[in-house]
Every structure is written in C-alpha cells, then in structure tokens.
Amino acid sequence: MKMSDMIADMILNMFDDSTSTVQIQRNDLASRLGCVPSQINYVITSRFTPEAGYRIESRRGGGGYILISRAESKDSVLMSFINAVGDSIDERTARANIINLNYQGLIDDKAAKLMTSVLADSNFKELDREVANRIRAILLKKMLIAYIN
C-alpha cells in the first residue's frame, strides 16, 4: 500500500458515524506513520477536497492543527462536485475525479468503470479537443445526476 493511501485510510478511520469533523496535528500523524509532514499536506489537499465533500481549516504554529469536516450526505457531496466540474474537463482530470469519488465511497466500482469508459478520449477522436472536453463535462454531470437519482 502506498504511503498516501495509508495516510488517507488513517484519516478516514478517524471519522465514525457520529463524527463529521476530525482534528489532526500534522507532525504527530507524520511521526506515527513514519513520513514527512508535507506528505500529510499532499494527501489532505488532493483527497479531502470540497469536490469530495470535505472542508479543510488549519491553524499554524506550535499548537496548530488541521480540521477536516465532511458533508452530511453523499448526495450533497456529489452535487457539490457536479457544480464544481465547470463547462469543460479533460479525460485525465475526469478519470482522477471519478477514481477519487470511488475511493471515497461516493460511487460504486461499476459506476466508476462505466463513467471512465464513457469519458475516454477514444470516444471523442473525431472531435476538436475543446469540443470533446465540453461534451465530456456535460456527460460527467449527467451521469452523476443519474447516479444520485
């Protein structure tokens, strides 16, 4: 298992059914996992994003901490992500976001595979890159809305 996966898993395990906010001291977590604090920052900024349904607050200094809060419902997280997609998205970004949504348990494996295959560049060979990215964004949003409903 990669270090970033271990860090993300440890943070996710800090959440339970009754806890929607976790407080982390970066240096403490880094020493427990045997990594550098910047790896903790990387995981937090790449996996605990608003699109994935998290809000991050931090306080620097000797007694500093990082607060990670998660959204209340899966549907509201997906709607936040849908609103954040914008008018255009390339295949790499779409795939990374789908993988992240699946990793966070917001979409299941089957839906992730289907969405990834529908949004692949190979499906848009005949189109201009800009047009393909606009269509890809529309399709991603529509598939996620259908998944919610």
Side-chain angles (χ1 to χ4, degrees):
M1 180 181 277
K2 295 182 200 174
M3 180 58 73
S4 57
D5 292 335
M6 289 173 44
I7 294 167
D9 287 344
M10 182 172 256
I11 293 171
L12 287 171
N13 288 334
M14 292 177 185
F15 288 101
D16 62 30
D17 293 335
S18 63
T19 306
S20 62
T21 301
V22 170
Q23 182 174 319
I24 298 169
Q25 291 196 308
R26 194 176 66 131
N27 291 336
D28 180 47
L29 186 58
S31 66
R32 283 195 285 167
L33 288 166
C35 66
V36 294
S38 62
Q39 285 178 296
I40 306 293
N41 282 354
Y42 169 76
V43 171
I44 290 171
T45 58
S46 64
R47 298 204 184 174
F48 295 90
T49 62
E51 294 82 14
Y54 294 93
R55 190 180 56 150
I56 307 299
E57 295 177 42
S58 64
R59 190 177 106 192
R60 300 191 183 274
Y65 57 83
I66 299 171
L67 284 177
I68 303 173
S69 303
R70 66 178 171 191
E72 296 302 315
S73 78
K74 186 165 115 173
D75 291 352
S76 67
V77 173
L78 287 173
M79 283 309 296
S80 295
F81 174 75
I82 290 165
N83 292 328
V85 169
D87 295 332
S88 178
I89 191 166
D90 62 27
E91 179 190 19
R92 186 172 153 235
T93 304
R95 186 180 334 108
N97 281 304
I98 290 167
I99 290 168
N100 191 28
L101 292 171
N102 178 250
Y103 179 81
Q104 299 295 326
L106 298 170
I107 60 174
D108 59 40
D109 292 343
K110 190 173 185 178
K113 287 177 186 175
L114 179 64
M115 289 179 192
T116 302
S117 66
V118 167
L119 300 175
D121 274 341
S122 60
N123 296 323
F124 302 98
K125 284 188 227 176
E126 306 298 320
L127 298 175
D128 174 68
R129 176 76 46 215
E130 186 177 316
V131 172
N133 290 344
R134 292 173 84 69
I135 293 170
R136 187 178 289 113
I138 292 166
L139 289 172
L140 177 58
K141 291 176 190 179
K142 292 206 178 281
M143 286 188 289
L144 288 170
I145 289 169
Y147 188 81
I148 292 170
N149 296 328

